[in-house]
Amino acid sequence: QDITTGTELEGAHLILKSSLGDVVDEWDSKTTPHYITKKLTPGMTYILTETSAPEGYQSTTETVSFVVNADGGVDKEVIMYNKPISPVKISKQEITTGKELPGATLVIKDSKGNIVDEWVSTTTPHYIDNLPEGKYTLIETIPPEGYGISEEIIEFEVNSNGVEQTVVMTNEKIPKTADMNVTLIVVGLV
């Protein structure tokens, strides 16, 4: 299920194993709950895991364990949750025009300082849709040609609400100095 809405999610690949490691059932989730039709052993613990997430959702490392009761029921409700991916749009813009600025090398680091994404900006924004929840920092390591390096260190946070957020970093042109061609004309009258 979607952790925020509780709706059934289609497209997750799930595996149910016994505590002995035997695969009991394996399926791709649908928009309705999945029912186990194989006989489960009373008193046995079973473990549900996900091997691939539904499209638009973060993969979960969560496992759900349950025990089968003597009457064939289970000791708790068996639900696995996925958090929606919250896409991040990184826009590298020229400070005066607001237009996308190609040629900058940009880096995103996680809260531990690990590089999680690095790319060169283009004429369109850069999208990232696989960042787990957490705090991140955007920095520029190489400026676009004709621009000074951005001193901005932009911090942003990814939440699993499924809402796209936009992060904007700007650059300013390096002023051009005019050629100082001076022609001195001396006119003298004799």
Side-chain angles (χ1 to χ4, degrees), residues 7-10 27-35:
T7 56
E8 292 291 325
L9 298 175
E10 185 174 15
W27 69 96
D28 290 329
S29 64
K30 305 288 183 208
T31 57
T32 56
H34 177 78
Y35 292 92

Side-chain angles (χ1 to χ4, degrees), residues 14-25 27 44-50 62-67 78 80:
L14 302 165
I15 297 176
L16 181 66
K17 291 183 180 180
S18 71
S19 57
L20 302 174
D22 300 323
V23 174
V24 175
D25 202 355
W27 69 96
M44 175 76 72
T45 299
Y46 292 89
I47 302 132
L48 178 65
T49 58
E50 178 183 84
E62 170 191 27
T63 60
V64 178
S65 299
F66 62 93
V67 177
V78 181
M80 180 166 280

Side-chain angles (χ1 to χ4, degrees), residues 141-158:
T141 57
I142 300 173
E145 190 174 327
Y147 290 81
I149 193 158
S150 177
E151 299 295 329
E152 290 179 288
I153 297 173
I154 299 175
E155 294 179 352
F156 63 97
E157 188 168 352
V158 173

Side-chain angles (χ1 to χ4, degrees), residues 157-179:
E157 188 168 352
V158 173
N159 297 311
S160 62
N161 58 8
V163 176
E164 177 182 291
Q165 68 173 299
T166 301
V167 178
V168 178
M169 179 179 271
T170 59
N171 279 83
E172 194 169 351
K173 273 190 173 182
I174 296 173
K176 290 186 177 182
T177 56
D179 291 336

Side-chain angles (χ1 to χ4, degrees), residues 103-121:
T105 301
L106 302 170
V107 172
I108 293 179
K109 293 183 179 183
D110 64 16
S111 60
K112 295 178 183 172
N114 300 313
I115 294 174
V116 294
D117 199 5
E118 183 173 9
W119 72 98
V120 176
S121 64

